[in-house]
Amino acid sequence: MSLLKLTDVAMVYGGRVTALEHVNLTVEKGDWLAIMGPSGSGKTTLMNIIGCMDKHTAGQVVLDGIDLNEVTKNELTQIRRDKIGMVFQQFHLIPYLTAVENLMVAQYYHSIPDRKEAMAALERVGLADRADHLPSELSGGEQQRVCIARALINYPVLILADEPTGNLDEKNEKLVMDLFRELNREGHTIITVTHSDKVGQAAKRIVIIEHGHLRDA
Amino acid sequence: MLMNLQRIKMYLTMVTNALLRRKLRMFIALLAVAIGATIISGMITVYKEVPEQMGREFRAYGANLLLLPAGGSTTIQEEKLQSVYQKLQGHEIVGSAPFLYERLKINESPILVGGTDFDMVKKVSPYWQINGAMPSGSGKELLLGYELAEKFQVKPGERIILALGDGSWESPFTVSGIVRTGGKEEQFAYMDLKQMQEIVSKPGVISMAQVSVVASAAELDAFTRQMAAEEPSIHPQTVKQIASSEQTVLGKLQALVLLVTVVVLLLTLVCVGTTMTEVVSERRREIGLKKALGADNRNIAAEFFGESCMLGLLGGILGTVCGYLFAQAVGTNVFGRSLQVSVPIAVMSVVLSIAVTAIATMLPVRTAVKVEPAIVMRGE
Ligand SMILES: Nc1ncnc2c1ncn2[C@@H]1O[C@H](COP(=O)(O)OP(=O)(O)O)[C@@H](O)[C@H]1O
Ligand SMILES: [Mg+2]
């Protein structure tokens, strides 16, 4: 069984704006998919649906054996918590918590905060020495690596990254992409959104989205 | 259990750091709560203390309790007064002036003379205006009511002859002073109680006593009922006019203080509510992020309520301390005495602060839980 299967999915905002239409997509365990397309084509919309942040308006989404049409909003939150790790373009750390505390928040919502494990996750992205710094004291690249560590902390089945390097310089872009490569090699399933060809090429597979329609590259 | 402890620790880390590391905004909210708590605790202290303090002030307007003979007798034994005072214990007795009234004569015209304790008269009726001085008690001195002084054309320092009605005794007295009260006292003369008891051969006996006691009308009524049951030879009578006008003024004052307190509570509610609303809208992104990380509505609500309760607690404590100082200032400047620390009031105002901030947070929290996690992806 596929990890993720979208069948004829549509997303219509407010009954008027059609952001996605007839989207079919299958992602296997261990896959690394890059979604590419121009701005406004529906990439983020698609990520929100896959990430259980928003509900599609038509079609079927099956994530890790769960049909998202069958679940309530609360259950959607729970699925998001248990199965998804997310990395955003604008980093999004809680500004008044330190790096390690930001990881522990994700543990807190998931189950139990465990400082040791959070430290280990920071170690793994090479930021153990920055554990007690506030986000404002970290560079953009460092912040994004904290976010990646956070995305991993609850052992998600799927990692979603929307333009993860969109706000980074080349050096940090490489650091972050190396991290993703390593994660994928270890067996993590990843979906990245990007409009950088270089970032796209790192993935195993690329799909193109245009005006809410998906096609293979 | 240990696992829960870890969760509680993380929760507290989030809540306290949300306050501590976001100084300015939280400082403003804290200030709003503290000011509210200051005024509320100060007002409640004043509210509670006003009757006590004002009651003391009112005692300047004269006796509020008369002790009259009862049960067929026309006099009271002085020694019985002690047991009456004992029954009043718990209420501060400002003074108790005994009076023995007898008919004597000056220049063949009958007058009413009261024997009394002038030290007590000063306490019970501080409004008596004396031209000259009160009798000292050592010499043969007389205090004349203003009307009598006019009638007999005497001035302080002059001497007059006082006589018993049947002519069996007469003696010269010095007029030590003339009293004006604006009342019937101006028609009487007063002398030392002991001298009076000797002249009329009624040792240890009085006609009545005027008592000035710090107590409310209701407390005096209760006392009257108790006396009727336990000491039937003395009939206490509240001076209705004074007691009830005291009550009216106090009632109005307390209503005013209560009104101000309620208004301040509402203002605090609005102020904290507005601040928390701003806090929520400022932190939409953070709320969205937390939801994206898996926070449910209960988590979000618990965190905001946790923050507001912490604010309420800190602001409440700060405000209660300030409020106490405020009440002290009112106490010393208005009533001329310091007020006591009241633990129940302190606890109540802190609890009230927490309650008010929690209530003020309800509406903002409703907004907060409605924030969609999808906004984080959009980078709003
Ligand atoms: N919440 C929303 N309400 C209405 N329209 C939206 C909303 N979010 C996105 N859209 C619209 O959906 C389309 C796709 O947007 P988006 O998924 O953000 O594109 P991309 O991420 O590829 O730039 C755009 O036309 C956008 O205006
Ligand atoms: Mg986008």
Side-chain angles (χ1 to χ4, degrees):
Chain A
M1 189 187 57
S2 309
L3 180 62
L4 176 71
K5 189 169 169 64
L6 277 69
T7 315
D8 202 22
V9 166
M11 180 66 168
V12 182
Y13 283 113
R16 289 180 294 114
V17 186
T18 303
L20 294 176
E21 218 173 6
H22 305 302
V23 170
N24 293 289
L25 180 69
T26 307
V27 178
E28 303 297 335
K29 264 200 188 74
D31 210 348
W32 182 358
L33 176 74
I35 301 172
M36 299 188 66
S39 166
S41 56
K43 304 183 295 295
T44 299
T45 302
L46 184 55
M47 289 296 252
N48 275 334
I49 289 168
I50 298 171
C52 302
M53 312 254 273
D54 233 344
K55 250 189 163 172
H56 54 288
T57 47
Q60 192 190 40
V61 180
V62 181
L63 173 66
D64 204 17
I66 301 166
D67 184 346
L68 299 189
N69 283 333
E70 311 279 306
V71 304
T72 64
K73 208 167 171 184
N74 272 340
E75 288 165 333
L76 206 64
T77 302
Q78 211 169 318
I79 296 165
R80 173 166 74 235
R81 179 159 68 203
D82 291 341
K83 302 198 180 296
I84 307 287
M86 251 173 306
V87 179
F88 314 96
Q89 179 172 355
Q90 286 99 342
F91 319 143
H92 287 312
L93 293 166
I94 295 173
Y96 53 82
L97 295 179
T98 62
V100 69
E101 284 166 354
N102 262 284
L103 266 58
M104 288 164 75
V105 168
Q107 292 175 318
Y108 167 79
Y109 290 133
H110 181 267
S111 48
I112 300 118
D114 179 343
R115 196 182 176 89
K116 253 208 206 123
E117 207 175 334
M119 284 303 296
L122 279 180
E123 181 106 57
R124 132 136 247 217
V125 297
L127 288 174
D129 55 332
R130 309 302 227 121
D132 295 319
H133 287 249
L134 291 175
S136 56
E137 299 162 343
L138 301 175
S139 75
E142 287 169 335
Q143 287 185 52
Q144 194 61 307
R145 276 145 67 200
V146 174
C147 288
I148 293 171
R150 182 179 62 192
L152 295 172
I153 197 82
N154 294 320
Y155 306 101
V157 296
L158 181 59
I159 295 168
L160 301 180
D162 194 350
E163 310 258 14
T165 60
N167 284 358
L168 296 181
D169 58 24
E170 223 165 297
K171 184 175 137 254
N172 279 302
E173 179 179 285
K174 187 177 174 315
L175 264 172
V176 165
M177 290 318 292
D178 286 346
L179 257 173
F180 279 118
R181 255 187 284 272
E182 207 179 302
L183 291 175
N184 185 239
R185 208 175 311 126
E186 285 167 11
H188 280 103
T189 315
I190 304 172
I191 301 178
T192 46
V193 159
T194 181
H195 43 252
S196 146
D197 281 335
K198 194 162 73 181
V199 174
Q201 297 305 330
K204 286 181 178 164
R205 188 155 74 88
I206 298 177
V207 290
I208 309 286
I209 188 167
E210 254 164 337
H211 301 299
H213 291 264
L214 208 64
R215 61 175 171 82
D216 287 325
Chain B
M1 188 57 217
L2 193 72
M3 294 189 336
N4 271 330
L5 222 65
Q6 290 301 316
R7 281 183 60 81
I8 289 165
K9 232 177 96 185
M10 190 62 215
Y11 171 73
L12 291 177
T13 302
M14 278 193 273
V15 168
T16 50
N17 284 326
L19 298 179
L20 294 178
R21 294 187 191 149
R22 301 172 67 256
K23 291 193 188 78
L24 185 66
R25 166 69 64 205
M26 285 305 141
F27 179 73
I28 291 166
L30 188 72
L31 212 62
V33 179
I35 290 170
T38 301
I39 297 175
I40 287 163
S41 66
M43 279 300 184
I44 294 174
T45 304
V46 171
Y47 178 86
K48 204 200 103 216
E49 291 284 336
V50 150
E52 178 86 9
Q53 300 301 327
M54 289 302 285
R56 207 161 272 126
E57 303 287 314
F58 278 124
R59 299 292 86 252
Y61 300 109
N64 53 350
L65 181 68
L66 302 182
L67 299 176
L68 304 171
S73 170
T74 55
T75 53
I76 299 173
Q77 296 297 317
E78 268 188 276
E79 71 231 19
K80 283 221 170 139
L81 291 179
Q82 279 315 316
S83 74
V84 176
Y85 300 152
Q86 243 151 44
K87 290 192 175 58
L88 274 171
Q89 82 185 154
H91 301 295
E92 186 185 332
I93 297 173
V94 176
S96 171
F99 289 90
L100 174 59
Y101 288 107
E102 288 291 337
R103 270 189 192 286
L104 301 181
K105 283 197 291 195
I106 294 176
N107 290 352
E108 289 306 310
S109 58
I111 59 159
L112 204 57
V113 181
T116 189
D117 175 341
F118 288 102
D119 288 334
M120 279 301 173
V121 168
K122 280 181 207 156
K123 288 182 181 160
V124 173
S125 306
Y127 60 91
W128 279 24
Q129 284 177 21
I130 313 286
N131 176 17
M134 288 220 185
S136 61
S138 50
K140 285 182 168 179
E141 291 181 326
L142 202 62
L143 182 68
L144 269 194
Y146 178 73
E147 281 184 31
L148 286 184
E150 290 286 291
K151 182 176 169 191
F152 297 119
Q153 290 292 311
V154 280
K155 294 190 172 58
E158 295 180 358
R159 281 160 50 115
I160 50 167
I161 309 289
L162 203 61
L164 270 179
D166 60 3
S168 62
W169 169 90
E170 67 169 40
S171 183
F173 273 71
T174 306
V175 176
S176 69
I178 292 165
V179 60
R180 298 203 69 158
T181 65
K184 61 183 182 347
E185 292 88 351
E186 295 185 3
Q187 302 162 12
F188 304 159
Y190 294 92
M191 71 163 77
D192 178 69
L193 178 62
K194 287 275 170 322
Q195 285 179 18
M196 182 70 155
Q197 286 168 339
E198 226 169 90
I199 292 167
V200 299
S201 312
K202 291 183 178 173
V205 163
I206 58 169
S207 320
M208 55 111 47
Q210 295 184 357
V211 185
S212 176
V213 55
V214 181
S216 69
E219 287 165 340
L220 288 178
D221 281 346
F223 167 72
T224 304
R225 280 194 299 277
Q226 188 195 353
M227 283 288 289
E230 295 173 14
E231 188 67 82
S233 70
I234 297 178
H235 171 61
Q237 186 181 317
T238 33
V239 182
K240 280 281 186 299
Q241 232 174 335
I242 288 200
S244 71
S245 60
E246 267 189 47
Q247 217 54 32
T248 314
V249 173
L250 282 182
K252 283 180 181 169
L253 257 173
Q254 284 194 307
L256 189 69
V257 170
L258 198 66
L259 187 71
V260 172
T261 307
V262 169
V263 168
V264 168
L265 266 175
L266 288 178
L267 281 180
T268 309
L269 203 71
V270 170
C271 201
V272 176
T274 315
T275 312
M276 286 313 278
T277 304
E278 278 166 35
V279 165
V280 165
S281 77
E282 246 176 30
R283 291 165 70 184
R284 274 171 58 81
R285 243 174 59 150
E286 179 191 323
I287 297 163
L289 171 66
K290 284 177 169 173
K291 285 194 162 185
L293 293 176
D296 56 27
N297 291 351
R298 281 213 321 267
N299 291 128
I300 302 292
E303 281 156 35
F304 276 105
F305 277 122
E307 284 179 32
S308 71
C309 286
M310 198 85 85
L311 262 182
L313 180 69
L314 292 178
I317 290 172
L318 194 71
T320 301
V321 171
C322 294
Y324 171 68
L325 298 177
F326 165 77
Q328 281 303 335
V330 171
T332 41
N333 291 318
V334 179
F335 301 120
R337 69 206 303 276
S338 63
L339 309 177
Q340 280 172 333
V341 192
S342 163
V343 176
I345 288 181
V347 171
M348 187 175 129
S349 87
V350 171
V351 169
L352 212 58
S353 302
I354 296 175
V356 166
T357 40
I359 291 168
T361 309
M362 279 158 121
L363 225 61
V365 161
R366 277 171 58 108
T367 319
V369 298
K370 281 193 197 131
V371 172
E372 291 291 333
I375 66 162
V376 250
M377 281 282 204
R378 307 227 170 265
E380 249 180 51

